[in-house]
Amino acid sequence: MINELFNTSVEEVEEVVVEDDSGTGEKAQLIVYNDDHNTFDWVIQCFMDILGHSNEQSEQLALIIHFKGKATVKTAPKDVLKPKKDALIDRGLSAVIEEGG
């Protein structure tokens, strides 16, 4: 049903490219985890507002999170990601920063 709603498949969704923000320091990943209380629309809106992603990219990331349990939603130095992670958490999403990789 989700695939019909978004007219896509999991294989197509995995082609999402998360842009790389410049900044200082070693690259880190902002990862968002699936949960049972946030709606697709809310997660998509959060990604557009906080991360600056397009509607389409935000939808694809929300689907990856739904099907795989988590997704890297942004890659940048930790100092760039920290306020974004905090903003996502303030909106009720489950987000962490992983360094390296």
Side-chain angles (χ1 to χ4, degrees):
M1 174 144 71
I2 296 289
N3 287 346
E4 293 170 8
L5 179 65
F6 287 99
N7 195 24
T8 189
S9 70
V10 177
E11 291 77 25
E12 291 170 330
V13 169
E14 292 184 50
E15 295 296 318
V16 173
V17 175
V18 179
E19 71 268 4
D20 202 350
D21 279 345
S22 59
T24 60
E26 207 171 303
K27 297 296 180 197
Q29 295 81 37
L30 178 56
I31 298 171
V32 174
Y33 289 89
N34 192 33
D35 61 52
D36 293 329
H37 56 272
N38 287 299
T39 65
F40 275 95
D41 288 340
W42 178 245
V43 172
I44 291 164
Q45 190 63 50
C46 290
F47 290 168
M48 290 189 303
D49 293 347
I50 296 167
L51 304 177
H53 290 336
S54 68
N55 185 48
E56 180 181 54
Q57 186 176 21
S58 298
E59 285 179 2
Q60 291 175 343
L61 287 167
L63 283 170
I64 291 170
I65 293 165
H66 176 75
F67 287 116
K68 296 203 167 226
K70 68 178 183 176
T72 298
V73 297
K74 194 94 162 160
T75 302
K78 187 176 180 180
D79 61 331
V80 172
L81 296 179
K82 173 92 170 74
K84 296 178 187 307
K85 177 195 70 112
D86 293 344
L88 291 171
I89 289 172
D90 287 346
R91 291 191 180 195
L93 276 64
S94 177
V96 298
I97 295 173
E98 289 186 5
E99 296 185 70

